[in-house]
Amino acid sequence: MKKRILVVESNKDILELISIVLDEAGYNYSLYANEKDIFEHIVESKPDAILLDIVKPTVEGTELCRQIKEAEGTKHIPVIVLSTHPQIERVKEVCADEVVPKPFDIDTLLETLRDQLG
């Protein structure tokens, strides 16, 4: 069965690129341009992994990531954070399972995803 990846990315061009990459790699995926009402969808759809765009590693910026990792039904889902922020590695201390800095190398993104999916 194909692994399901949920993607939250505000940049439409990057979202389109990720959809092509995931499609060619054989994943099922759901794409979202913002975080509005996304947590409920995560709980219902139970994706195998989440690619999450975070602008800044602040309390507000990491709210969805922390919510996913604190909830009993979703804390097991790997969260891979995508970001341009120079200190994004700090998000791993807060909630992310892994971080992929933007701009990202496609092979690195897919390798990180495979690693997190086990």
Side-chain angles (χ1 to χ4, degrees):
M1 191 163 117
K2 288 184 174 184
K3 297 285 186 181
R4 294 166 317 193
I5 313 302
L6 186 137
V7 183
V8 181
E9 169 60 59
S10 57
N11 182 305
K12 289 187 166 83
D13 292 334
I14 295 174
L15 198 60
E16 185 176 335
L17 172 66
I18 290 174
S19 73
I20 293 167
V21 168
L22 293 178
D23 193 51
E24 288 180 358
Y27 293 106
N28 285 330
Y29 54 89
S30 302
L31 306 174
Y32 298 89
N34 62 59
E35 298 178 11
K36 186 174 177 357
D37 301 324
I38 198 70
F39 185 72
E40 293 78 15
H41 182 74
I42 292 168
V43 171
E44 292 168 15
S45 68
K46 297 180 177 58
D48 295 300
I50 298 169
L51 296 178
L52 179 61
D53 175 37
I54 291 182
V55 178
K56 293 182 182 173
T58 61
V59 171
E60 298 82 21
T62 59
E63 184 176 344
L64 176 60
C65 185
R66 287 182 296 113
Q67 191 176 9
I68 293 165
K69 287 304 186 180
E70 289 171 2
E72 194 60 40
T74 58
K75 66 182 179 184
H76 67 283
I77 301 171
V79 176
I80 301 167
V81 169
L82 309 172
S83 183
T84 57
H85 196 279
Q87 296 178 338
I88 199 60
E89 285 290 328
R90 290 180 32 213
V91 175
K92 286 171 71 172
E93 299 166 17
V94 179
C95 61
D97 292 284
E98 194 53 76
V99 173
V100 176
K102 290 182 194 172
F104 55 82
D105 176 79
I106 291 170
D107 292 333
T108 300
L109 178 65
L110 289 174
E111 183 179 326
T112 302
L113 191 53
R114 279 192 297 272
D115 288 349
Q116 289 301 314
L117 289 170

